[in-house]
Amino acid sequence: MTQDELKQAVARAALDYIKPKIDEESVIGIGTGSTANYFIDYLAEIKAQVNATVASSQASADRLKSHGIPVFDLNTVDEITVYVDGADEVDPSLALIKGGGAALTREKIVAAVAKEFVCIADGSKFVDQLGNFPLPVEVIPMARSYVARQLVKLGGDPVYREGVVTDNGNIILDVYNFMIPGPRITEQKINDIVGVVSNGIFARRPADILLLATAEGVKQIKAQ
Ligand code: 5RP
């Protein structure tokens, strides 16, 4: 199977996973990226059962609306029943690297509000240790050089993602050559740099369950 076919398979499995959990009171959190896009398209098949969603990016909100699925402002909901999103890397504790699509801050906010976070990924994303994928860091534009110098002190090689402005009006630094043996500590250390809005390590709020698409089928993996 191609990577794209695996993404479709896991998005379909996510729909089956959430269906029994949702009712007319439920709010579904929607992620960002190509895997999340497949999930949105499948969700449209049951849109009569979907009363509310919250999107983690403008792009996902636009896609949901194009299907006629209602999108709410997060400030108008108390709780998100279940959040479905992809990832760039997932480790066995279900800590993640996210932000390949530059939506990491809104994704982190939606994950924080969600009762259950379902990560959907193809097999290539599952790793023993986070860090081969360059770590996205969202930064206030005026702090770009300062934050980059601090990231070098932490051992990484930050690269400005040219031409990208986040939904929050900020820039992204991608940190290369930066293996992450202690994701919780590193997430906090980077957040402590003044000018950082958030970083793509999701360890303090990891996924609750991983649906992982492999050639043998979609596996359900709980944190080890
Ligand atoms: C966007 C993300 C995505 O979930 C991540 O980049 C995975 O994307 P894809 O499903 O296209 O492989 O974090 O900010």
Side-chain angles (χ1 to χ4, degrees):
M1 282 170 99
T2 65
Q3 189 179 29
D4 223 43
E5 287 167 340
L6 292 171
K7 287 181 180 193
Q8 289 175 43
V10 79
R12 171 66 68 192
L15 185 71
D16 295 339
Y17 181 85
I18 67 150
K19 257 196 261 177
K21 296 173 183 265
I22 58 168
D23 59 25
E24 61 282 354
E25 302 292 318
S26 302
V27 180
I28 305 171
I30 307 290
T32 299
S34 55
T35 319
N37 280 345
Y38 286 126
F39 176 70
I40 293 170
D41 296 346
Y42 295 141
L43 191 66
E45 295 171 7
I46 60 156
K47 69 179 174 191
Q49 289 160 252
V50 180
N51 287 327
T53 66
V54 168
S56 63
S57 64
Q58 196 51 53
S60 291
D62 292 345
R63 197 175 186 100
L64 287 157
K65 286 178 193 163
S66 76
H67 285 300
I69 299 173
V71 182
F72 282 61
D73 182 324
L74 179 59
N75 292 305
T76 66
V77 309
D78 291 331
E79 189 175 74
I80 291 172
T81 316
V82 60
Y83 173 42
V84 179
D85 197 0
D88 299 301
E89 281 186 350
V90 189
D91 80 6
S93 72
L94 304 194
L96 316 171
I97 288 183
K98 290 184 50 53
L104 59 153
T105 300
R106 293 188 184 201
E107 292 171 338
K108 210 172 253 201
I109 294 167
V110 176
V113 182
K115 253 169 66 183
E116 184 177 12
F117 178 3
V118 181
C119 181
I120 53 175
D122 66 83
S124 70
K125 309 279 183 75
F126 197 57
V127 297
D128 288 333
Q129 189 179 106
L130 302 178
N132 272 322
F133 189 90
L135 176 67
V137 181
E138 180 166 355
V139 177
I140 301 285
M142 74 172 285
R144 186 182 83 205
S145 298
Y146 170 74
V147 170
R149 288 194 294 274
Q150 302 311 306
L151 290 168
V152 169
K153 284 185 192 162
L154 291 180
D157 294 331
V159 174
Y160 174 42
R161 204 185 290 182
E162 296 273 355
V164 171
V165 177
T166 70
D167 284 349
N168 313 307
N170 298 312
I171 62 107
I172 298 286
L173 294 175
D174 292 306
V175 188
Y176 286 78
N177 304 315
F178 192 58
M179 292 312 288
I180 306 168
R184 284 178 62 90
I185 292 168
T186 307
E187 180 177 2
Q188 189 61 55
K189 267 192 194 164
I190 296 176
N191 282 344
D192 285 347
I193 301 171
V194 173
V196 168
V197 178
S198 72
N199 71 83
I201 303 174
F202 285 54
R204 293 179 170 253
R205 200 299 177 229
D208 296 303
I209 186 153
L210 169 65
L211 303 183
L212 190 71
T214 70
E216 292 78 47
V218 177
K219 297 179 184 164
Q220 286 191 17
I221 298 174
K222 288 249 164 101
Q224 286 166 24

